[in-house]
């Protein structure tokens, strides 16, 4: 029986653990949390941080694994690369893993290869930050600030003012969410944002689906909904796919999966950023199979084992997810869920907060209360089903 190591055992990684088990594989799950929910589905658990590269590599050697992967999280991609190098397994290279998980290195690679990106500057201290803001403003753009190495909209801020006190607070907010301490200041791109889900095999990148996105807007741009397939014109979708493929090849993502965020601006499609792993927010674990029939989780397991994944659409349907929020305060009750589940087309309803938890301002994806996933014949219908279900759900809080 072949062994596969999956980095992470949180709810995000459970689909991967279950998929690998269904394929007859021996699953080794790695997570620093000894009580991680995903451990109950794995054959063996290893309690190590997924970014503790030396110890994960040592465990992989000891267990003689045949493949390694992670789902939906960025920094463990570096560990995947290190393990693959040590055991000569298929995966992204170490050098390219760093390109794909550091926004500065990523932008340098994209720029060098002629992939369209926004104007940007790196800032490693407050002085560089202030200078970068001035340079972006000179070019006539609004400024958006991001940590160099985080995800889930953490630390992202579209500047709404430029006085010194405000800028200092904005810099600190982004820097505090950056593991390296580096931040990026770049032009804020006006336009529709989408995400392209791809599988990459031996240097060939296959776009599987384009996802339309709904965010909170300024200043934090937290994603509050997704729908598939995209409703953009066919010609625009083809341009988006070309840019996504070029971006993956530019950073060297030759074996694995990716989610490439792209904005369609007046100057064409430009890359926001790229993740060399499956998209989070249930986009690839749930929405893609619901809209296309393509099992991307199975795909990345096969790629990790050196096998060829399936990437052709089995059907053409639509899917959507909408995330729940509530007023701020301590959650006292959540009702109406069963009635919401009865709506035709509702696939699943889940919660990230429970009674007794605190509902807070939505500043990152971690702050959302829950979600509704639906399937229909068109994206508009799928979104409508989600919205109807959300109306049935009542979340009460005590301030």
């Amino acid at each position: 029986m072949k062994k596969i190591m999956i980095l992470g055992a949180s709810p995000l990684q459970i689909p991967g653990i279950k998929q690998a088990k269904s394929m007859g594989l021996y699953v080794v799950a790695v997570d620093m949390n000894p009580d991680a929910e995903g451990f109950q589905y794995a054959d063996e658990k290893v309690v190590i941080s997924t970014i503790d590269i030396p110890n994960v590599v040592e465990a992989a050697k000891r267990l003689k694994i045949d493949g390694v992967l992670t789902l939906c999280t960025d920094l463990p991609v570096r560990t995947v690369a290190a393990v693959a190098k040590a055991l000569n397994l298929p995966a992204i290279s170490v050098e390219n893993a760093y390109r794909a998980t550091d926004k500065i290195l990523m932008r340098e690679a994209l720029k060098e290869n002629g992939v369209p990106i926004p104007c940007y500057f790196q800032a490693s201290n407050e002085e560089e930050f202030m200078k970068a803001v001035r340079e972006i403003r000179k070019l006539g753009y609004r400024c958006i600030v991001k940590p160099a190495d985080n995800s889930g909209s953490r630390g992202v801020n579209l500047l709404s003012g430029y006085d010194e006190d405000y800028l200092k607070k904005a810099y600190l907010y982004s820097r505090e969410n950056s593991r390296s301490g580096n931040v990026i200041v770049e032009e804020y791109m006006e336009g529709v944002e989408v995400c392209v889900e791809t599988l990459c095999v031996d240097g060939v990148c296959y776009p599987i689906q384009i996802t339309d996105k709904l965010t909170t807007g300024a200043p934090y741009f937290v994603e509050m909904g997704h729908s598939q397939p995209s409703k953009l014109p066919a010609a625009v979708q083809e341009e988006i796919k070309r840019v996504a493929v070029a971006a993956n090849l530019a950073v060297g993502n030759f074996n694995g999966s990716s989610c490439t965020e792209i904005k369609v601006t007046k100057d064409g499609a430009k890359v926001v950023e790229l993740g060399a792993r499956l998209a989070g927010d249930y986009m690839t674990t749930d929405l893609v199979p619901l809209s296309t029939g393509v099992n991307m989780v199975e795909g990345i397991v096969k790629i990790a084992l050196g096998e060829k994944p399936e990437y052709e659409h089995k059907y053409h349907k639509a899917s959507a997810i909408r995330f729940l929020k509530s007023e701020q305060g301590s959650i006292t009750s959540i009702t109406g869920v069963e009635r919401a589940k009865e709506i035709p087309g509702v696939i699943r309803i889940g919660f990230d907060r429970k009674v007794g938890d605190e509902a807070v301002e939505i500043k990152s994806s971690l702050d959302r209360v829950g979600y509704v996933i639906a399937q229909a014949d068109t994206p508009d219908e799928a979104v409508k089903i989600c919205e109807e279900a959300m109306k049935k759900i009542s979340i009460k809080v005590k301030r």
Side-chain angles (χ1 to χ4, degrees), residues 51-109:
I51 59 175
D52 183 349
I53 293 176
N55 281 313
V56 175
V57 169
E58 182 182 339
K61 288 180 176 178
R62 173 173 52 83
L63 294 167
K64 299 179 180 178
I65 64 164
D66 300 292
V68 59
L69 61 89
T70 190
L71 290 83
C72 309
T73 51
D74 282 320
L75 288 186
V77 170
R78 299 178 182 181
T79 311
V80 167
V83 169
K85 180 180 179 181
L87 279 74
N88 193 30
L89 302 172
I92 191 170
S93 73
V94 171
E95 180 182 8
N96 293 335
Y98 277 82
R99 284 199 185 100
T101 53
D102 184 295
K103 292 180 176 65
I104 294 165
L105 296 177
M106 182 190 303
R107 279 157 178 72
E108 290 173 352

Side-chain angles (χ1 to χ4, degrees), residues 233-253:
V236 175
Q237 292 194 44
E238 287 305 311
E239 180 188 4
I240 288 168
K241 290 177 184 178
R242 286 196 299 272
V243 171
V245 169
N248 275 274
L249 298 181
V251 300
N253 187 28

Side-chain angles (χ1 to χ4, degrees), residues 299-311:
I300 63 169
V301 173
K302 286 186 173 182
I303 292 169
L305 295 172
E307 301 172 6
K308 300 295 183 184
E310 295 182 8
Y311 53 84

Side-chain angles (χ1 to χ4, degrees), residues 134-203:
R134 289 195 297 271
E135 292 298 321
I136 294 288
R137 293 193 72 199
K138 281 181 185 177
L139 296 171
Y141 299 121
R142 299 172 72 190
C143 298
I144 190 166
V145 187
K146 305 174 181 179
D149 48 8
N150 212 326
S151 58
S153 300
R154 290 183 281 275
V156 175
N157 191 4
L158 175 63
L159 301 184
S160 59
Y162 295 96
D163 63 85
E164 187 171 350
D165 286 344
Y166 174 83
L167 289 178
K168 285 182 177 181
K169 289 178 182 178
Y171 170 66
L172 287 174
Y173 172 66
S174 190
R175 192 191 70 181
E176 286 168 357
N177 284 275
S178 172
R179 293 176 175 86
S180 64
N182 294 323
V183 304
I184 290 177
V185 184
E186 65 183 21
E187 69 167 277
Y188 172 62
M189 296 183 289
E190 302 282 355
V192 175
E193 183 173 340
V194 300
C195 185
V196 187
E197 329 304 340
T198 66
L199 291 175
C200 307
V201 189
D202 297 331

Side-chain angles (χ1 to χ4, degrees), residues 116-381:
I117 58 172
C119 174
Y120 74 95
F121 294 93
Q122 173 185 349
S124 56
N125 55 52
E126 187 179 287
E127 183 181 355
E128 291 179 357
F129 171 77
M130 296 294 188
K131 182 180 179 183
V133 170
R134 289 195 297 271
E135 292 298 321
I136 294 288
R137 293 193 72 199
K138 281 181 185 177
L139 296 171
Y141 299 121
R142 299 172 72 190
C143 298
I144 190 166
V145 187
K146 305 174 181 179
D149 48 8
N150 212 326
S151 58
S153 300
R154 290 183 281 275
V156 175
N157 191 4
L158 175 63
L159 301 184
S160 59
Y162 295 96
D163 63 85
E164 187 171 350
D165 286 344
Y166 174 83
L167 289 178
K168 285 182 177 181
K169 289 178 182 178
Y171 170 66
L172 287 174
Y173 172 66
S174 190
R175 192 191 70 181
E176 286 168 357
N177 284 275
S178 172
R179 293 176 175 86
S180 64
N182 294 323
V183 304
I184 290 177
V185 184
E186 65 183 21
E187 69 167 277
Y188 172 62
M189 296 183 289
E190 302 282 355
V192 175
E193 183 173 340
V194 300
C195 185
V196 187
E197 329 304 340
T198 66
L199 291 175
C200 307
V201 189
D202 297 331
V204 180
C205 185
Y206 301 96
I208 307 297
Q209 186 61 288
I210 299 176
T211 306
D212 287 341
K213 303 171 73 171
L214 172 71
T215 76
T216 57
Y220 305 117
F221 300 96
V222 181
E223 295 170 3
M224 296 302 291
H226 310 290
S227 60
Q228 301 174 356
S230 173
K231 296 194 295 180
L232 291 171
V236 175
Q237 292 194 44
E238 287 305 311
E239 180 188 4
I240 288 168
K241 290 177 184 178
R242 286 196 299 272
V243 171
V245 169
N248 275 274
L249 298 181
V251 300
N253 187 28
F254 301 139
N255 280 291
S257 61
S258 74
C259 55
T260 307
E261 295 178 346
I262 289 175
K263 272 204 171 183
V264 183
T265 73
K266 61 181 178 59
D267 300 316
K270 292 185 180 182
V271 176
V272 178
E273 60 188 60
L274 178 153
R277 38 74 178 174
L278 292 181
D281 281 0
Y282 309 96
M283 278 189 275
T284 43
T285 55
D286 291 75
L287 298 193
V288 169
L290 287 171
S291 69
T292 68
V294 177
N295 186 340
M296 292 188 71
V297 179
E298 179 186 66
I300 63 169
V301 173
K302 286 186 173 182
I303 292 169
L305 295 172
E307 301 172 6
K308 300 295 183 184
E310 295 182 8
Y311 53 84
E312 296 287 349
H313 289 202
K314 293 180 173 60
Y315 49 72
H316 299 279
K317 293 191 176 184
S319 57
I321 185 170
R322 286 294 182 264
F323 291 95
L324 295 158
K325 61 180 180 179
S326 72
E327 294 181 359
Q328 296 179 47
S330 178
I331 298 175
T332 58
S333 68
I334 300 173
T335 59
V337 177
E338 293 307 315
R339 285 192 302 144
K341 287 180 178 178
E342 293 172 356
I343 296 173
V346 170
I347 300 298
R348 192 166 79 252
I349 297 174
F351 289 89
D352 302 303
R353 293 279 196 280
K354 62 183 184 300
V355 172
D357 288 346
E358 201 73 17
V360 299
E361 180 185 2
I362 306 291
K363 290 186 176 181
S364 81
S365 57
L366 298 176
D367 300 327
R368 299 173 307 207
V369 175
Y371 61 87
V372 177
I373 296 174
Q375 183 188 45
D377 291 327
T378 70
D380 284 340
E381 290 172 351

Side-chain angles (χ1 to χ4, degrees), residues 8-20:
S10 76
L12 286 174
Q13 286 81 35
I14 288 175
I17 296 171
K18 288 183 173 180
Q19 178 65 51

